Amino acid sequence: MSDPLPIVTRFAPSPNGSLHLGHAYSAIVAHDLARAAGGRFLLRIEDIDGPRSRAELADEFRRDLEWLGLEWEEVPAQSTRLAIYEREAARLADDGLLYPCTCTRAQIRDLPLRTGEDGFEYPGSCRGRCAGSDGEAPAFRLDVDRAMESVGEVVWRDAKKGSVIADPRAFGDVVIVRRDLPASYHLAATLDDAADGITLVTRGRDLFESTHVHRVLQELLRLPVPEWHHHDLVLDDNGEKLAKRRGSPPLADRRRAGDDGLMLAEQLRLRTFEGGT
Ligand code: GLU
Ligand code: ZN
């Protein structure tokens, strides 16, 4: 019998806002799962979100993680990998799995659709014909029906739910290449997890649905298949998930105020921290 693969996890924050308690918890889960198995814990800065990405925030993240008592290996940030995204997206396009879409968010919002987890679900109205064109570079969407025909039934393994059949249809024809970038979150994260040798993808359960898309992309791009651990979310006093846009207090504020980061990390591990369940 061969030895099981060493566990490699990662924390992959986007430097478009400060880290809050929810991120701290996510980083600790990934760190501890790796450490418990004698594995590796990686930090990857997901900084392709154009002007919203700020280099000084990545430095702040490193100081926050250090303050929490975590140790990590840092792998190249997403902004260094744009050529790889471009090359792999071209492969999907060559296989006839992508189509251009120039619709604006507003135009898509006007279409009759169900609201999905990600804000809205896109029904594929632009397959073969865009609802609107403004002469700008298009985004490229995955033709999900064709993709599913090509991969057949694929399953993925979730630490809590066990075997899950990949069904990416909740997102409709998801964007693979953004109008302003050579990748979307889904393509970039999937390729990076493979390049970084991640064997256990840990992230909040709010990203559970995204995993269906990633699993199908792995199959289409012939990438190694990790396992997933979707952890519970840290909630605020109103039972809502913490979010940068709702102004959840930055970890950096507590750090600068002289709070004890190691103690906070312990509280998060025991889930007895203030303002969370
Ligand atoms: N950059 C993503 C975020 O901050 C990471 C999501 C993931 O772990 O796949 O939400
Ligand atoms: Zn369109």
Side-chain angles (χ1 to χ4, degrees):
M1 248 179 62
S2 59
D3 288 336
L5 284 176
I7 287 201
V8 185
T9 65
R10 87 309 193 265
F11 176 55
S14 303
N16 54 22
S18 291
L19 299 185
H20 53 61
L21 271 182
H23 297 106
Y25 183 64
S26 204
I28 289 168
V29 168
H31 171 273
D32 289 3
L33 282 168
R35 286 289 173 270
R40 297 164 63 209
F41 168 61
L42 311 183
L43 171 67
R44 179 175 73 232
I45 304 293
E46 303 214 319
D47 60 346
I48 53 168
D49 203 357
R52 298 206 308 148
S53 289
R54 288 159 40 205
E56 69 276 15
L57 279 176
D59 282 336
E60 182 181 287
F61 295 176
R62 293 180 195 104
R63 283 193 289 272
D64 290 344
L65 296 179
E66 216 169 74
W67 175 68
L68 291 166
L70 307 185
E71 280 176 34
W72 65 90
E73 289 168 57
E74 186 159 349
V75 291
Q78 287 193 327
S79 55
T80 66
R81 292 171 162 174
L82 302 184
I84 299 171
Y85 307 149
E86 225 161 301
R87 185 190 70 209
E88 296 303 305
R91 281 179 55 199
L92 294 175
D94 288 347
D95 289 344
L97 294 167
L98 303 186
Y99 63 86
C101 167
T102 53
C103 295
T104 61
R105 273 179 167 255
Q107 282 168 325
I108 290 169
R109 219 168 272 135
D110 288 343
L111 297 170
L113 347 137
R114 178 167 87 69
T115 304
E117 182 124 337
D118 230 20
F120 53 82
E121 172 197 333
Y122 174 77
S125 333
C126 303
R127 272 182 210 169
R129 159 188 74 90
C130 247
S133 166
D134 53 15
E136 280 181 37
F140 286 86
R141 293 182 179 276
L142 183 68
D143 185 328
V144 168
D145 289 340
R146 199 175 277 187
M148 291 313 285
E149 257 167 52
S150 139
V151 302
E153 183 173 292
V154 288
V155 292
W156 52 277
R157 180 131 197 104
D158 180 78
K160 292 182 187 163
K161 303 221 162 162
S163 259
V164 182
I165 296 176
D167 182 5
R169 289 189 177 86
F171 284 104
D173 285 352
V174 69
V175 171
I176 296 298
V177 179
R178 282 172 35 166
R179 307 182 68 154
D180 51 341
L181 290 174
S184 65
Y185 155 67
H186 299 294
L187 180 65
T190 302
L191 288 170
D192 288 349
D193 284 340
D196 296 337
I198 304 300
T199 63
L200 180 64
V201 175
T202 64
R203 58 182 168 220
R205 64 162 189 248
D206 53 332
L207 288 167
F208 186 91
E209 294 299 327
S210 296
T211 299
H212 292 294
V213 176
H214 302 179
R215 180 66 191 88
V216 170
L217 286 176
Q218 285 159 359
E219 206 64 20
L220 293 171
L221 296 167
R222 293 183 184 76
L223 301 172
V225 182
E227 297 191 359
W228 282 265
H229 176 107
H230 294 95
H231 60 74
D232 290 342
L233 301 177
V234 178
L235 304 179
D236 66 16
D237 294 334
N238 303 318
E240 291 207 64
K241 98 173 194 200
L242 300 178
K244 290 170 189 169
R245 63 180 178 283
R246 274 197 288 275
S248 299
L251 291 179
D253 287 0
R254 300 178 71 156
R255 173 166 56 77
R256 289 190 202 104
D259 280 7
D260 187 339
L262 296 181
M263 189 183 290
L264 178 66
E266 277 319 302
Q267 288 171 334
L268 282 162
R269 287 185 174 100
L270 299 167
R271 302 178 72 74
T272 55
F273 48 89
E274 239 176 280
T277 49

